[in-house]
Structure formats: structure tokens, C-alpha cells
Amino acid sequence: MSEVWILAATLLGLAAGFTVSYFLASRLAASKLADAERQARRIVEEAEREAKALKKEKLLEIKEEWQRQRQEFEAETAAKRNKLQTLERQLKAREDALQEKLELVQRKERHFQALEHELAQRQQQLQQKLQEVEQLRQEQLARLEQIAGISREQAKQLLLENLMTEARNEAAQYIRQIREEARLVAEREAKSIVVQAIQRMAADFSMESTVTVVQLPNEEMKGRIIGREGRNIRAFEAATGVDLIIDDTPEAVVLSCFDPFRREVARLALERLIADGRIHPARIEEVVEKARQELEESLPRIGQEAAAELGLHNLHPKLLLYIGKMRFRSSYGQNLLAHSIEVARLAAVMAAELRLDVQLAKRAGLLHDIGKCVENADAPHALVGYELVKRYNEHPIVCNAVGSHHEDIPMESPIAALVQAADAISGARPGARRETLEEYIRRLEQLEALARSFDGVAKTYAIQAGREIRVIVEPDRVDDQSADELARQLAARIEGELQYPGQVKVTVIREVRKTAVAR
């Protein structure tokens, strides 16, 4: 029973607590709701006040912006109006100016038309005057032809001939003046270079002879060389192709042959036979053949020594062989190898002075006469040498210098001219070359005959051993200008048609003598 009351009391307490709690919560909620409503009304009122203030502010801004834009529009409109008025004034001024120009053009056009009409009248009058002048000129020409006794064409031809003669004389004088100035400058520079080359290459060269003297140990050796009934000497001459001359010269015999190679073979063989003491035909043939083989084997070595002396390298072995053969060749009595080495050095010195390739100048100088060593050739030695060095891949400048040093082909480089000059210098040394009396006389006769072949030549004299030709001309047939041209043409023909050592000076003499007798 007590538990029921307790439970009932508990339930009543809970109900009372719930009721009180609900009442309190309702009162609290009503109070919060009232506060919220008041807060909402306050927020709304504040928002309305702010909206009114913002609206008023925006209205003021819009009004100010409208006022500003209105002022700008009015200012822009005023500026455009002023500009338009200015353009209207300028256009009006241009229209006035164009109107004035149009009136001026019209006035000038009327003036030009009047001038054109007047000019046409004057031109017509001038044409009439010209016709009258032409008629008078024809009458004067006819009268002049009648007085002079020659026609108009003849007079024109005479005038043209006089003008051509005068122009030719003036041209000859001008050409002579230019040539003289160029000759003086070129001669001065060339002499300087050549003199320096000769001074730096001062060397003596003895002429190659056609005989060689071999010393004997005693006079009895002559008999052994001759042999019984001359068998030994005949066998020796047949094997070597050299004449063995045995005369009264004490303890010496002479080997005579135009070929230096065969003469050298004979000398070596004879010296070995004399040293060995066994002299008979079989031994002679054996020793001669061995000497020939040894000498042929020494040719490349001689070529290498010559190239090394000049500081040249990379020469083809075949070219070295031909260079070695030069040692046993001669030209006008001058040893060919010594001459080629001298030409190489002279060309190198001149090339250095002119700042050209010194090595190419040396190679061209050494090889320039290599064609003389080619046997059984049917062409000039310069062309033979040109083909030879070209075959063994020498430089094109070297090939051209070899082929053109006697002008068989055109020169293509300054080095070719230097080689030609060095060749002339080497050959022109006093005593460097020699020629027979018959060749000397024939050369002088050819020189004088060539000079006499020109018109107006009275006398010719070859002097200074053929190094100068003096030509005396007839003064009434050759004038001063023609004399200058004659000297130039004669020098050109001498270069092209004659062979001569060094150079030939051409001197043309025109002398006029007037005499009178006082009685």
C-alpha cells in the first residue's frame, strides 16, 4: 500500500514539476519572442533609415553625374561648333583661292594661245629664211667648187684626211709620252729588283767544253791504251762513243765528245782501266758497261742533291732522274744543271722582293729547262718540259712557267715572267755561254736583215756583239712619230722571230741635215 502511495506521490510530483516547468518555459519563450520582435522592429527601422539615406545619397550622385555629363556635352558641342566654323572659313578661303587661280589659268591660256599663234607665224617666216639661206649656201658652194676646181666630196675627203693625220700624230705623241713614263718607272723598279738579285747571286760559272783530259801515270800507258794494232783504242771508242785522242801531250790523253754523259762514262772507265792495269777489248767493254750503270744509278742522287741545295721537297722520282741528267747536259757551253740552279735562285730572290711564292719560283726555275733532257723529242724543249712536269702533277703555276719561258704558250702568272727574266740573266752573264763564229755571224746577219725589212730604213748596224741594233731611217719617209712606232715594232719582231742571249736594244736614228753654200 505504501508503495502505491509512493508511486502516486511520485507521479503527482512529476506532473506538478512538468506543469511548473511548462509554465516557466512558456513564460521564458514568450519573453524571448517579445525580445525578438522588438529586435526585428529595431533592425527594420534601422534598415529603412539606412535605405532612405542611401537613396538620398545615390540621387545626389546621379544628379551630380548628370550635371557633369551635361557640362561636358555642352563643352564638346561648343568645340565642334567652333571647329566646324573654322573649317567653313578655311573652305571658303580655298574656294576663293581656287577661283583666283582658275581665272589666272584662263588668262595665261589666252596668253599662250596668242603666243602660239605668233610662234607659228615666226616659224613660218624662219622656214622661209632657212630656204633662202640654203639656196644661198648652194650657190656659194657651187661658186667655191668652180673657183677651187674640186668637188664637194673631194674637199670633204681632203679635210678628213688632214684631220686623221693630225689625230694620228697627236695620238702617237700621247702614246709615246705614256710609254716613256711607264718605261721609266718600270725600268727603275725592274733594275732595282734585278740588281739586288744579281748582287745576292754573284757566282762564277765556267763554260762546259767538249773535251776531258785524263792524266796518265807514265808515257808507257799510252801504248797499252792503244793496244796491238790499235785494238784497245778502237774497242774503247766503239764501247763509249767517245774519241780518244793520244798526242804528244806528256802523260795525258784527251777524250772528245759533244755528249757530256758519254764523256763522263769514258773518263770513269779509262781511269779504272789505268788503275787496274788490265787493258784489252773484253775488259774494256766490261768496265765501260759497269761505269755506265753506276753513272745512271747516280742520276737520281744528283737530282736529290740539287733539290736539297735549293730546299725543295716532294719532287717526283722521275723528275729527280731528269734533273740528274741535267748535270751531263750543256746549252751554249753552259752546264744545264748549274744554269737551272742559278735560275731557281735568281727567280726566288726576285719573287721574295715582289712578295710572291718563293718555293714555286724555285721549282719553276729548277725545272724550266728539263725538256732538254728528254731524248728523241720532236717539239720545242719548253713544251716538252711543260708536258713532262704536268704529267707528274706539278703545280699549274710551275707548269705554265716551264712552258712559257720561251713564250711557246701564254704566261699566266708573274712567276712565269720571273723565270723568263732569270733565264735571260743567267744566260747573259759574260762568259756564261758561247757560240761558234758561224752562229755568231749568222745571228748578226739575221738581226740586220730583219731591221732592213721595214720601209724607210736606210742602214742597219748590229753592235755590241748583237746586243744592240742601230737603225738609220730616211728622214723624208719616216717622221718622229713613225720612228717611235718603228722601234717598237722591230723590238716585237726580234722577240718573236730571233733567238739570242740576253736582250737586244733597238735604237732608231732619224737625222735631218740642211746645207747651204755661201758664194
Side-chain angles (χ1 to χ4, degrees), residues 464-513:
Q464 295 185 5
R467 297 185 183 276
E468 181 179 356
I469 177 72
R470 292 188 179 179
V471 182
I472 300 176
V473 298
E474 300 176 4
D476 54 343
R477 296 180 59 186
V478 180
D479 56 12
D480 291 340
Q481 288 78 18
S482 300
D484 182 67
E485 184 67 17
L486 174 62
R488 188 184 64 81
Q489 293 180 0
L490 178 56
R493 287 192 59 184
I494 291 173
E495 291 179 1
E497 300 179 15
L498 299 183
Q499 292 184 356
Y500 51 90
Q503 62 183 10
V504 177
K505 179 181 178 182
V506 178
T507 303
V508 177
I509 301 173
R510 179 178 181 269
E511 183 180 13
V512 179
R513 294 185 181 182

Side-chain angles (χ1 to χ4, degrees), residues 5 22 44-45 129 133 136 166 168 217 247 373 385 389 441 444 450 479:
W5 284 106
Y22 176 76
V44 170
E45 291 175 357
K129 294 290 185 182
V133 170
L136 291 174
E166 183 178 356
R168 190 180 296 110
D247 53 15
C373 298
V389 296
I441 295 175
L444 297 188
L450 181 61
D479 56 12

